[in-house]
Amino acid sequence: MAELPIITIPDPLLREVSTPVETVNNGVLRLLDDMLETMYEAPGIGLAAVQVGVLKRLVVIDIGDEEDEDAKRPICMINPEIVSRDGEPSLYEEGCLSIPDIKVDVERPSLCTVRFIDRDGKQIELETDGLLAKAIQHEVDHLDGRLIIDHLSRLKREMVIRKFKKLQRTA
C-alpha cells in the first residue's frame, strides 16, 4: 500500500464527474487499499478517488466504532449510487481533505440508502443513518463534482477559493 497525494481546491479535477468502474480488478483493489491508507494518514473518515486525482467512482469510508475509537471498520464502495434520501434534514459541520482547515455547516437528510459494488464484486444495498449517511452523501458529492463549499454563499465560497489560490502561489 502507498499513501497518495490529496489534491486540493482550486484544482479543476475536483469539479469533474467521475466515471464508473467497468471491472473490479487488482488495479482497482490496489487503489482502494492506497486510498484507505491515505485517508487514515490524513486523517479523515472518507475519501473519493477524485481526491487523489483518479476520476473513477470509488469511495472509501471508515467512521470507526463508537465503542472502540481505535477500531477500524472500512467500507469500500465501487460505483456508489444513492437510491434514496430520507429522514429529517440535519445540520452537520463537515470538513474535507481537499479543503484543509475549513469547516462548513451542511444540511443533509439524516438517512440514505446507497447501492454499490463491494471489493468482492458483489452488489450491496445499505441503509444508513447518522454520521455514515452524512459521509456517504459527502463522498458521492465528490464523485459528482460537488464540494462542501457549494453549501456556502457565493461570497464566502469565493473567499475560500481565493485563500487556496493564494496559498498555491506561495507554495
Side-chain angles (χ1 to χ4, degrees):
M1 290 196 305
E3 189 177 343
L4 304 169
I6 297 173
I7 63 174
T8 59
I9 63 169
D11 192 309
L13 200 61
L14 291 168
R15 293 302 192 168
E16 297 291 322
V17 176
S18 297
T19 60
V21 172
E22 298 297 324
T23 55
V24 179
N25 56 31
N26 287 338
V28 168
L29 297 177
R30 193 171 323 112
L31 178 57
L32 287 168
D33 289 340
D34 291 347
M35 288 171 59
L36 281 169
E37 182 173 333
T38 302
M39 178 189 73
Y40 290 132
E41 285 298 315
I45 64 167
L47 188 69
V50 64
Q51 293 178 271
V52 293
V54 179
L55 277 173
K56 290 293 179 188
R57 296 189 79 80
L58 298 169
V59 164
V60 294
I61 294 175
D62 190 342
I63 62 165
D65 184 336
E66 290 178 15
E67 306 296 315
D68 179 3
E69 287 187 21
D70 293 327
K72 292 182 178 176
R73 296 180 53 196
I75 300 171
C76 296
M77 299 181 178
I78 301 164
N79 298 334
E81 173 190 0
I82 295 175
V83 294
S84 73
R85 298 173 204 249
D86 206 0
E88 283 295 313
S90 61
L91 209 56
Y92 188 81
E93 186 179 67
E94 295 184 21
C96 180
L97 297 175
S98 290
I99 313 171
D101 304 320
I102 300 292
K103 301 282 188 210
V104 175
D105 287 332
V106 179
E107 187 175 76
R108 298 186 191 274
S110 56
L111 308 170
C112 84
T113 301
V114 62
R115 185 180 303 131
F116 62 94
I117 299 167
D118 71 5
R119 294 179 63 96
D120 299 320
K122 193 168 86 178
Q123 182 92 3
I124 305 287
E125 190 163 296
L126 182 64
E127 293 180 16
T128 65
D129 62 1
L131 181 57
L132 182 56
K134 302 284 187 187
I136 289 168
Q137 292 174 79
H138 176 109
E139 298 308 330
V140 171
D141 274 356
H142 272 298
L143 301 180
D144 294 330
R146 289 190 301 268
L147 302 169
I148 59 172
I149 58 172
D150 296 341
H151 295 269
L152 295 172
S153 69
R154 182 176 166 196
L155 178 64
K156 287 182 182 178
R157 181 173 51 249
E158 288 173 359
M159 286 172 51
V160 170
I161 293 169
R162 271 198 305 274
K163 174 185 171 185
F164 279 87
K165 284 182 178 177
K166 184 178 179 183
L167 287 171
Q168 196 175 48
R169 283 193 301 269
T170 59

